[in-house]
Amino acid sequence: MSLKRNIMIAGVGGQGTVLASKLVARAAMDAGLAVRTSETIGMAQRGGSVVSHVRVSDSAIASPVLTPGSADTLIGFEPGEAVRCLRYLRPGGCIVSNAQTVAPASAALTRTEYSGEAMLGRLRDCGARLVVVDGDALCAEIGSLKALNVVLLGAAAAAGALDFTLEQLEAAIRATVRPKFVDLNIRALHAGARA
Amino acid sequence: MGNEAIALGAIAAGVGVVTGYPGTPSSEILLTVSKRNPGGIHVEWSVNEKVALEVAAGASYAGARTMVTMKQVGLNVAADPLLSLAYIGVKGGMVIVVADDPGPISSQTEQDTRTFALFAKLPVFDPASPEEAYAMMADAFDLSERYGTPVIFRPTTRVCHGNAPVAISETLRPRAPASFVKDPKWVIFPRLSYENHIRIEQQLPVIGEEFSSYPRNSLSGEGTLAIATHGISSAYIAEALAALGDAVPAHKLLRVATPHPFPKRLAREFLEGVERVLVVEELDPVIERELQRLAGEQHLPVDVLGKGSGHIQVAGENTVDSVTRALAGFFGLPVAPAAHCAAAPEGAAEPPVRPPVLCAGCPHRASFLAVKRAMRKRKSVFCGDIGCYTLGNAKPLDMVDTCLCMGAGITVAQGLQVVEPDAVHFAFIGDSTFFHTGIPGVINAVYNQTNIVVVVLDNSTTAMTGCQPHPGTGDTMMGEIADKIDIATVLQAVGVKHVETCDPLQLEAAQAAVLRAADAAADGVAALIFKAPCIHVAPPGVTYTVDAEKCKCKICFNQLGCPAIMSVDGKASIDPALCYGCDICLQMCPFDAISTVTAETTGEVQP
Ligand SMILES: Cc1ncc(C[n+]2csc(CCOP(=O)(O)OP(=O)(O)O)c2C)c(N)n1
Ligand code: SF4
Ligand code: SF4
């Protein structure tokens, strides 16, 4: 059986999408699979939308970027950002989305109300499988607001949307993250998986 | 990452001196060399690209292998030494890495460095992936040394910021110690330039011939239809052909990894028997023009299609999607748009726009606010420059009236002031930009007696491109501490009479300083240095909170544009996760509704 999985990770600058894509790439490399990823870098610190493209396959991969309708898995660090990327998700794909929104930094200008419920509604009705994760609650439980990235990765793995076991991702965390943060991240992974 | 691959490729090739100036998407290359320095490589962020290229030129004259890194517009700054160096040549191999940015994703222009290489008469390598970039680096150094010419290496954003596993060789190429040998050939004179011009014109076809056999320029397939491409577009073509499937007719495929000097022999072979070629390129139609020229020279009955014929978009980056549509049109095949999940009923809520904004707690916000408030009643023009502070143009600040290229804020202000002397002209410039190309503009203004206010936004780093050091920060890429170069002293030394330094986060004092500078500018250049660190190089302060009972005006929300301040039920409210504790909103509040709370300690997860 051939393995091909395209993953799109969508969030807001500062939410840690790049680490999530690095961990998946590490797990893929350790499993002897081909992997290409591509990041938005530059405006990341300043509250803009950021997207990581991750492509994993058991055969060679040409392009590092996803095409519309080609993502199997969409991980939304923010529900509105997941909606923005729906164009990339294939019908029947899987969405793992954080429940909490990040208000746009330009709220002072737009003056329009931004409703996370409306965004989650669109995710629910788009023709894909949806897993909603209460990111705030889980981060509070493990005691770090910055663990959202790994929490969502755990949830995606548990939903069968990554092709990697928690053990494989744990190994990727050990190989990637600085030693003093390894435990915290592994707890985050399991908290996400249980959710 | 592609940029790391380029750095490791240079290290493996025995590079001895690496210089550059930051710029997206090139910045991680030099950083990686510094992190992975096996010892003995001199690495520096130079003050600008011209300086970087010249430092490397000197080292190459002495026989060291050198690499220079920059983004595409950086090459404009380095154009003068580049064009002359093409004539003089080098001894140690020199690879100038210039990252192009189709889109553009984070640049002022969509210029094509391949065209620049053509103009400068230099060979250019155009890698298609991180793996190829790694391997090509050694080829580029070898070629440079064999022909005694600088070589341009130009990845695009998708290669620079794409990631793939790359096998890295553990063995480093040993290099003989270098030393400079005096010779008239290092001194450029018209006579020498004439002779070298002839040599270059004779040498380029020789290199082109060598490129025709270079395995990374590849020719495959058979047929009367053909596709030519380069760089990341070759990956898009592979995907597009796979998507179009078996219906694709037989065709030839040419991939050009070295567009200049053009591998003519290979291209001739490619055009042989072909009736129609589609050239899929990003940025300029470089290959397209070369193929058209070749077809003309050889009287070949072939249609060369691409940007000129409207088959490929003239601006912006290619995508698998755009390439699939172009190929389908070319082959006369139907394309079904891919099914996706974005369909939504009419009137469905859309996600909010997220334009980049200054960070919560950014000192630039306070500086702009101080100038805006102080100059409320006076006719003034605000010339901006390039850096994070360009984002001061966004509402509600709306404090950037012009922005052209690095260093141009100070000089554009002079031009405006000459034409309209009754307005106060402010030029905002970041600290890194001040050292890059700001200083000559100040000298020009002083000497030509132009009455402008120069506002240096000194946040102790080059923030926009990821917080690189510069001469005002006092640290180097060799891990050494250097004496900081003091901006106020520089300004005084070039004859600016009014130089004042103040903290923009003290709003009232800052406003008073602005008024003093504006008055002083009636009589020559006045300079105001707003000194407060970028939040990425300083620890956070305490968090602030709004007492909803007391909040009445929301002026902090309406005038500041701090992303931590939101409007909740008609009152201002501060998000504790975003607030950096700069204190500006508290100073603005006329109702004492804002106060500090003790910062919650949150753990870190990032590696
Ligand atoms: C010629 C040129 N080189 C490099 C860049 C990339 N670049 C844009 S802004 C910037 C640095 C700005 O630093 P600074 O002036 O200190 O402002 P800050 O971002 O810290 O506010 C750089 C290197 C460019 N746009 N043009
Ligand atoms: S103190 Fe006020 S202005 Fe400064 S970061 Fe916090 S909320 Fe924003
Ligand atoms: S990175 Fe630094 S300089 Fe740039 S917007 Fe943020 S705080 Fe301001």
Side-chain angles (χ1 to χ4, degrees), chain B residues 547 550-551 586 589-595:
Chain B
D547 181 344
K550 291 188 187 165
C551 173
L586 179 142
C589 181
F591 299 102
D592 286 335
I594 300 178
S595 59

Side-chain angles (χ1 to χ4, degrees), chain B residues 65-119:
Chain B
R65 284 195 163 186
T66 61
M67 175 167 73
V68 190
T69 75
M70 64 191 73
K71 70 182 290 167
Q72 86 287 55
V73 289
L75 198 58
N76 304 340
V77 176
D80 196 15
L82 181 79
L83 274 93
S84 294
L85 191 63
Y87 279 61
I88 286 289
V90 294
K91 183 173 163 202
M94 175 192 253
V95 178
I96 306 163
V97 182
V98 186
D100 279 354
D101 184 25
I105 298 172
S106 49
S107 302
Q108 300 113 281
T109 69
E110 273 201 297
Q111 64 192 71
D112 191 324
T113 298
R114 297 176 303 162
T115 303
F116 215 128
L118 221 83
F119 172 53

Side-chain angles (χ1 to χ4, degrees), chain B residues 336-586:
Chain B
H340 56 64
C341 294
E346 192 78 21
E350 290 299 325
V353 289
R354 293 189 194 273
V357 291
L358 295 170
C359 300
C362 175
H364 295 333
R365 178 177 291 105
S367 300
F368 285 127
L369 187 76
V371 176
K372 185 171 186 166
R373 290 190 147 203
M375 300 307 291
R376 214 165 3 203
K377 296 208 178 73
R378 288 170 72 172
K379 184 174 170 188
S380 22
V381 178
F382 306 114
C383 296
D385 214 304
I386 305 217
C388 282
Y389 52 99
T390 314
L391 298 174
N393 79 319
K395 293 200 165 41
L397 289 171
D398 192 13
M399 284 294 286
V400 177
D401 298 325
T402 69
C403 178
L404 183 64
C405 65
M406 285 187 79
I410 293 173
T411 35
V412 166
Q414 291 168 41
L416 288 167
Q417 168 69 18
V418 167
V419 176
E420 204 175 353
D422 65 321
V424 186
H425 289 88
F426 284 83
F428 293 99
I429 186 164
D431 42 356
S432 190
T433 306
F434 178 79
F435 289 110
H436 179 273
T437 33
I439 296 170
V442 180
I443 295 176
N444 189 65
V446 171
Y447 174 63
N448 289 297
Q449 308 187 17
T450 324
N451 300 340
I452 59 168
V453 183
V454 174
V455 180
V456 183
L457 302 172
D458 181 357
N459 60 355
S460 301
T461 190
T462 314
M464 180 85 185
T465 44
C467 295
Q468 294 83 5
H470 62 62
T473 64
D475 44 344
T476 74
M477 293 311 276
M478 300 302 289
E480 288 153 0
I481 303 298
D483 283 340
K484 290 181 192 180
I485 294 174
D486 181 52
I487 296 174
T489 312
V490 172
L491 288 166
Q492 279 153 355
V494 301
V496 180
K497 299 217 174 57
H498 179 96
V499 180
E500 189 176 343
T501 302
C502 82
D503 179 356
L505 298 170
Q506 302 294 328
L507 188 55
E508 230 166 88
Q511 277 176 235
V514 172
L515 285 174
R516 280 193 294 276
D519 290 339
D523 194 22
V525 179
L528 180 56
I529 302 167
F530 276 134
K531 197 166 172 53
C534 163
I535 68 162
H536 295 281
V537 296
V542 291
T543 314
Y544 286 63
T545 182
V546 182
D547 181 344
E549 291 285 288
K550 291 188 187 165
C551 173
K552 301 215 161 41
C553 63
K554 290 210 294 180
I555 100 168
C556 57
F557 178 75
N558 291 325
Q559 293 187 7
L560 208 47
C562 172
I565 307 180
M566 280 157 304
S567 169
V568 177
D569 303 330
K571 307 277 181 181
S573 157
I574 293 175
D575 181 343
L578 287 177
C579 172
Y580 215 74
C582 74
D583 197 66
I584 281 295
C585 56
L586 179 142

